[in-house]
Amino acid sequence: MDDSQSQEHLMSLSGVAQEHESQPELSSDRRSTSSSSDSEHDSELESCQDIQLQQLEATLTASPTKYEAHVEYISALRRTSQLDKLRSAREAMNALFPLNPTMWREWTQDEARLVSGGKDVSAVESLYARGVQEYLSVPLWMEFLEFKEKHDADVAQHTAEGLSKMRSLYEQALSATGLHLAGGGRIWTAYRKFEQTVLSNMVDATTEVKAKQTECIRSIFHRQLSVPLSNFAETLRDYKEWEGQQGNDIGNEVDELHGIPASVSAAYKKGAQMCMERKIHEEKIASGMPADAELLHNFLSYISLEESTGDPARCQILYERAVTEFPVTDDIWLKYTSYLETNLKVLPIIRTAYARAVRNCPWVQALWNGYLLALERSNAPELEVSAVFEQSLQSGFGFQTPSEYLDHFLTRADGLRRRICSLIDDVDKQTYHATLHETFVRASLYMSTYFPEYIDRSLQLHSYWAYIEAKLANDVVAARGVWENLIKASGWMIEVWQGYISMEISLDNIKEARTLYKRGYSRRLERNGTEMMCEAWLRFEREHGSLDDYDHALLKVRSRLTEVRQLQQQQESKAACSVAASSAEKQENFCHGKKEKRKSEQFEQDELVSKKQPVYTDECTVFLSNIPLEAMEENIREFFSSCGGLKSVRLLRNRYNGQSRGLAYVDFANEECLAAAVAKNKQKLLGRQISIARSDPTSSRNRHMVRDHGSGQRNVRKMQISEPKMGRDVKVQATVGQAQPPTIMHRRGGHVQLTGRNTFAVPRTVARPLGFSGGKGKESLEEGPKSNEEFRRILLEKRE
């Protein structure tokens, strides 16, 4: 095909049709205007398409495994008629991903329209052959068969070679789709019609040849009638009609299958019953339904039904239909491959299924492992197995966990070990052993590089590696090197020492094992590893050592265990101190924060109270003490109800918990009521004798202690008293009010007059102030502490 034909075809694909002859003639002006606008539109469209292509090419260069970008790029190339790029883009995508049936049909249809010679026919046939291997697609098979019949010269001329090739292709199609209950009948019908066409063209053939061809057609009918297909009734009707043309009557009023071989008749009845049973399942998975969770559930239910019948071939077809709808659902592939291995057990089919599975789900390590094992079971060459292993690591899709990578390397090592054991030639063994050694080295490096924090407690890789070196290669030095390198990296693990020692004991290297115990017992191992090492050493000497060896080990072990216990005690003590210090610090911070919060809250409360609380003058007020803590304002009101004139009751409460302090102020309206209230002094309230006295606000103003009983906030004033000493004025601060008895200082600084000689509220340094002498000093002392002005006046009088 030349380039002009290719360009013309691709233009038709993009929807640009040339229909000038069918359009009515236009004037020259209108034609020129239309042509100009069309060219401008085409230019803009081409510019946009070029920009889109450049963007998609940049995306694929940066992310070649981006599936959606490949699909968009191919679609854009089809619209722009770039044949070479389109082919390259499809090949590049298919190298990474399997193409779905729709994409294969587009590709093959595009190429089929460009066929001009035998070489092109072979190329398109190769495309069809690749496409039908990716997914199960009855329409793609039908197009493949039609293309073969139309473009293959031998088939078209019905030569012996052509008939052989066509029948072989039909048999392949039947193997792939013949049991497809919904669509397989199309392949059977096409096969019959092809053979009928061959028979009709046998004009000059002998009777024997025609009879043989007739029997071939009858055989296809019988085979189709024996298979449960959705068009079974139509097939029976066609068969009766065809047999009638041959002069044979099939069926009667009693039995519609009369004249059909008994085996075929029985199979037909069974197939019809199976179709009826599966009709509801076929309706739930019919083509065109969205590929969602419901469809997946319907497929799984259908598969369970087929598996219960025990027909592996029918199950295989149904699995193929499922993976076509859900190609990247790894659970379907895992179930499919497992079923094939367990029930079908045909190695080529299993191997092909795994090859397709890893292309669809390359991130599933279990599928890659199954693929390697399938290759090994089918005796695939080492080059192919090695290529698959490399592909699994370089596919661009990583496995889920580090343990999956480890298991994958171990699977590869297993295959190499088994291959070495099956060889006879020593040269081949050495070659494969070098490959196995390289695999272990690569696995260790891979795990330490990409998963440095991963810890394999079972030591699968290194213990297996050391075993291979010691047993298979007879190289104990190399095996010890494996363990020594592991000790350098993970010598704190007790499992490493146990594995190393176990290998030496298995090799009857008792001396080397004892040396390892002597090295390992003094190491700092994690958790209780040291105790385990010491106990294992003693057990080892009981089983393998002499009495001197046991005594030596016992001496070392006792000393080491003592050190370990002391270290543990120190660590526990240090940890306890650290915990205690941390707890104390937290408690201190908590208390400090709580205290600051209380101060802040109390300040805010005082500010609020100072604004909202009424001011009490206490001009006609009594002070109550020794009140029962359970007494409330209502009880006090009831107690003074006989006095009359009660205005308010102020029960003093704890500022932190709000409980009563046993103190109260009661305001009255007049002196008569106040006198009646004071007369109730020493009477009982709720069974407890209380004290009642008149509150004296003038005394409170003259004192140095001021308290606000309404808010519960104490404001302590500090006294500054100067005393001549060594020629200097020494200021002494004394806090007054904290140690006062409740009858003196009750939230208001004391409203009851002090009587007698009281010095407890005055610092000792001023108990006898300057100027004190005889009665004057006594009278002055009884009057209360002197102020600074009073002391200054006394000093001036003395100097005069």
Side-chain angles (χ1 to χ4, degrees):
M1 177 183 298
D2 56 17
D3 294 339
S4 61
Q5 291 176 325
S6 300
Q7 293 295 329
E8 181 180 356
H9 166 63
L10 290 175
M11 289 295 290
S12 66
L13 289 177
S14 61
V16 182
Q18 303 296 330
E19 300 179 355
H20 298 291
E21 296 181 358
S22 62
Q23 299 295 329
E25 294 186 0
L26 302 175
S27 64
S28 60
D29 294 338
R30 293 181 62 186
R31 283 199 302 267
S32 62
T33 303
S34 176
S35 176
S36 176
S37 61
D38 290 343
S39 62
E40 291 178 359
H41 176 72
D42 293 342
S43 177
E44 293 178 359
L45 180 61
E46 291 178 1
S47 177
C48 293
Q49 291 175 343
D50 291 341
I51 294 174
Q52 183 186 13
L53 288 174
Q54 292 175 2
Q55 292 176 348
L56 290 172
E57 289 172 356
T59 301
L60 291 175
T61 302
S63 303
T65 59
K66 194 171 183 179
Y67 183 87
E68 294 79 5
H70 281 281
V71 176
E72 293 178 8
Y73 186 47
I74 291 173
S75 299
L77 289 174
R78 292 191 77 211
R79 291 192 297 269
T80 57
S81 307
Q82 300 186 38
L83 178 61
D84 293 335
K85 282 190 175 183
L86 179 59
R87 286 173 176 167
S88 300
R90 282 168 166 162
E91 291 291 353
M93 182 177 180
N94 191 230
L96 296 173
F97 306 103
L99 306 183
N100 59 45
T102 301
M103 299 182 70
W104 275 113
R105 292 181 66 189
E106 289 178 352
W107 191 356
T108 52
Q109 288 171 7
D110 291 348
E111 297 292 345
R113 294 190 183 98
L114 301 177
V115 169
S116 62
K119 187 176 181 181
D120 294 335
V121 171
S122 298
V124 176
E125 287 181 358
S126 299
L127 281 181
Y128 273 116
R130 290 167 56 185
V132 296
Q133 294 298 322
E134 297 275 284
Y135 297 109
L136 175 61
S137 175
V138 174
L140 186 60
W141 269 110
M142 288 295 298
E143 292 178 5
F144 188 8
L145 295 168
E146 291 172 1
F147 178 84
K148 185 73 172 177
E149 289 186 33
K150 182 179 180 180
H151 293 88
D152 192 308
D154 293 334
V155 175
Q157 297 173 9
H158 293 171
T159 64
E161 183 180 358
L163 292 177
S164 177
K165 291 191 296 183
M166 197 64 205
R167 286 167 179 164
S168 175
L169 186 59
Y170 267 114
E171 291 297 334
Q172 294 179 32
L174 290 177
S175 297
T177 65
L179 296 179
H180 193 303
L181 193 145
R186 296 176 60 189
I187 304 295
W188 286 102
T189 301
Y191 195 4
R192 285 191 288 105
K193 290 182 178 180
F194 169 74
E195 295 293 351
Q196 289 174 357
T197 302
V198 173
L199 179 60
S200 63
N201 291 332
M202 290 182 176
V203 179
D204 300 330
T206 63
T207 304
E208 182 179 358
V209 173
K210 291 182 179 180
K212 185 178 179 180
Q213 181 65 22
T214 301
E215 192 62 30
C216 176
I217 298 172
R218 182 177 289 111
S219 174
I220 295 175
F221 265 119
H222 288 173
R223 290 170 60 190
Q224 184 177 1
L225 290 171
S226 301
V227 177
L229 299 170
S230 59
N231 63 340
F232 64 94
E234 181 182 351
T235 302
L236 179 61
R237 184 174 62 252
D238 293 343
Y239 178 53
K240 289 181 179 181
E241 181 181 352
W242 181 80
E243 285 288 3
Q245 295 174 359
Q246 309 304 317
N248 302 320
D249 294 332
I250 300 297
N252 53 38
E253 296 180 356
V254 179
D255 183 9
E256 65 175 356
L257 301 178
H258 177 73
I260 299 178
S263 59
V264 177
S265 177
Y268 176 83
K269 293 178 180 179
K270 182 179 179 181
Q273 181 64 28
M274 293 175 62
C275 288
M276 297 302 297
E277 294 174 353
R278 289 156 176 76
K279 182 178 179 180
I280 185 173
H281 291 282
E282 287 291 338
E283 292 175 352
K284 291 181 178 180
I285 64 171
S287 60
M289 298 186 66
D292 52 11
E294 182 179 359
L295 182 61
L296 177 60
H297 174 73
N298 294 336
F299 263 111
L300 294 177
S301 300
Y302 197 178
I303 289 172
S304 298
L305 173 65
E306 291 293 356
E307 288 180 344
S308 64
T309 62
D311 188 348
R314 294 193 61 81
C315 290
Q316 181 189 1
I317 290 292
L318 195 53
Y319 270 117
E320 287 290 345
R321 295 172 65 183
V323 298
T324 301
E325 295 293 336
F326 300 94
V328 294
T329 303
D330 52 86
D331 289 339
I332 294 290
W333 285 108
L334 290 171
K335 286 175 62 67
Y336 182 22
T337 53
S338 176
Y339 181 83
L340 292 177
E341 290 180 334
T342 306
N343 298 277
L344 197 60
K345 299 179 181 180
V346 179
L347 290 179
I349 295 178
I350 296 173
R351 179 172 166 178
T352 302
Y354 271 117
R356 295 165 55 212
V358 297
R359 278 176 57 80
N360 285 274
C361 303
W363 58 86
V364 182
Q365 179 261 342
L367 293 175
W368 286 105
N369 274 12
Y371 192 12
L372 291 176
L373 294 175
L375 291 174
E376 184 179 356
R377 294 188 186 102
S378 59
N379 297 321
E382 168 60 20
L383 290 177
E384 183 178 359
V385 177
S386 177
V388 169
F389 179 73
E390 294 298 328
Q391 182 184 359
S392 66
L393 297 178
Q394 302 173 7
S395 63
F397 299 90
F399 299 151
Q400 303 298 318
T401 61
S403 59
E404 291 183 349
Y405 280 98
L406 178 60
D407 184 61
H408 195 52
F409 277 106
L410 293 176
T411 301
R412 171 62 172 155
D414 292 341
L416 290 171
R417 181 193 61 81
R418 287 188 288 263
R419 190 178 291 270
I420 292 173
C421 294
S422 64
L423 294 175
I424 299 177
D425 190 357
D426 292 338
V427 176
D428 293 338
K429 285 185 177 182
Q430 292 178 0
T431 302
Y432 280 108
H433 186 271
T435 304
L436 179 56
H437 177 80
E438 181 183 354
T439 301
F440 279 119
V441 173
R442 184 180 180 186
S444 178
L445 182 61
Y446 196 96
M447 297 300 294
S448 60
T449 301
Y450 293 102
F451 310 103
E453 298 181 359
Y454 175 72
I455 299 176
D456 178 25
R457 291 286 178 180
S458 59
L459 303 178
Q460 299 179 75
L461 179 63
H462 293 84
S463 59
Y464 191 12
W465 185 3
Y467 171 81
I468 292 296
E469 298 291 357
K471 294 290 187 179
L472 200 60
N474 296 321
D475 191 347
V476 180
V477 176
R480 288 171 180 163
V482 173
W483 288 111
E484 291 294 340
N485 290 331
L486 187 58
I487 286 177
K488 293 179 181 179
S490 305
W492 46 269
M493 291 175 56
I494 181 64
E495 293 86 356
V496 175
W497 294 94
Q498 290 174 338
Y500 195 177
I501 293 171
S502 297
M503 186 198 73
E504 294 292 0
I505 294 176
S506 66
L507 297 175
D508 292 330
N509 296 330
I510 304 302
K511 183 178 179 181
E512 287 75 8
R514 181 176 291 112
T515 302
L516 289 175
Y517 275 118
K518 292 179 180 180
R519 290 173 56 190
Y521 92 100
S522 60
R523 296 287 293 264
R524 294 191 62 178
L525 306 178
E526 62 176 347
R527 297 192 297 271
N528 60 339
T530 303
E531 292 89 335
M532 294 174 61
M533 178 65 78
C534 292
E535 294 174 1
W537 189 8
L538 293 178
R539 185 169 59 252
F540 168 80
E541 296 298 353
R542 288 193 183 99
E543 297 173 356
H544 302 281
S546 63
L547 180 59
D548 293 339
D549 295 329
Y550 180 78
D551 290 340
H552 176 74
L554 185 61
L555 179 63
K556 294 293 185 180
V557 164
R558 285 177 177 174
S559 176
R560 177 57 178 161
L561 290 179
T562 301
E563 295 177 1
V564 171
R565 294 190 185 98
Q566 291 177 353
L567 180 61
Q568 290 177 349
Q569 291 176 358
Q570 292 176 2
Q571 292 177 346
E572 291 174 357
S573 176
K574 185 177 180 180
C577 293
S578 176
V579 171
S582 177
S583 177
E585 183 178 357
K586 290 181 180 179
Q587 184 66 21
E588 181 180 357
N589 293 337
F590 175 76
C591 294
H592 179 71
K594 191 173 182 181
K595 184 177 180 181
E596 292 296 329
K597 183 178 180 182
R598 285 177 177 173
K599 287 182 179 180
S600 176
E601 292 176 351
Q602 192 63 44
F603 177 77
E604 294 175 359
Q605 183 179 1
D606 292 346
E607 291 292 329
L608 184 63
V609 169
S610 63
K611 295 179 180 179
K612 296 184 178 181
Q613 285 286 346
V615 178
Y616 298 96
T617 60
D618 292 351
E619 296 294 340
C620 195
T621 304
V622 295
F623 175 73
L624 281 63
S625 61
N626 202 34
I627 302 173
L629 298 180
E630 64 273 13
M632 305 300 289
E633 286 83 348
E634 292 76 7
N635 303 115
I636 298 175
R637 289 179 181 275
E638 184 180 357
F639 180 78
F640 289 110
S641 60
S642 60
C643 301
L646 191 147
K647 294 176 62 178
S648 64
V649 176
R650 289 169 282 160
L651 183 63
L652 305 188
R653 298 182 181 276
N654 189 295
R655 61 182 174 182
Y656 298 123
N657 54 28
Q659 295 182 355
S660 172
R661 296 177 56 194
L663 308 172
Y665 290 94
V666 182
D667 298 318
F668 289 92
N670 50 54
E671 292 292 336
E672 290 79 5
C673 298
L674 178 65
V678 174
K680 296 176 71 70
N681 185 31
K682 301 303 180 183
Q683 292 187 17
K684 292 185 178 181
L685 173 62
L686 298 181
R688 186 172 181 178
Q689 191 178 64
I690 64 174
S691 298
I692 304 174
R694 179 166 183 167
S695 176
D696 187 3
T698 58
S699 176
S700 175
R701 296 189 189 100
N702 295 330
R703 294 190 178 275
H704 301 282
M705 178 64 65
V706 179
R707 301 186 181 187
D708 182 7
H709 66 272
S711 64
Q713 175 77 18
R714 291 192 298 180
N715 298 318
V716 182
R717 291 184 179 177
K718 295 183 179 180
M719 298 169 54
Q720 291 188 351
I721 306 170
S722 62
E723 178 181 2
K725 182 178 180 181
M726 300 296 292
R728 298 180 181 178
D729 291 341
V730 180
K731 293 184 179 180
V732 180
Q733 293 184 346
T735 302
V736 183
Q738 295 181 354
Q740 299 292 352
T743 56
I744 304 300
M745 298 292 182
H746 294 306
R747 307 285 286 180
R748 292 178 61 83
H751 304 307
V752 181
Q753 292 289 345
L754 288 172
T755 59
R757 180 169 179 152
N758 295 279
T759 61
F760 58 85
V762 183
R764 293 185 180 182
T765 56
V766 297
R768 295 178 181 272
L770 293 176
F772 173 81
S773 62
K776 186 177 180 180
K778 180 177 181 180
E779 181 182 358
S780 175
L781 182 60
E782 290 179 354
E783 290 177 356
K786 300 292 189 297
S787 66
N788 290 341
E789 291 294 331
E790 290 174 333
F791 277 111
R792 194 174 292 110
R793 187 173 60 254
I794 292 172
L795 289 173
L796 292 174
E797 290 176 355
K798 186 175 180 181
R799 290 177 180 178
E800 293 175 354

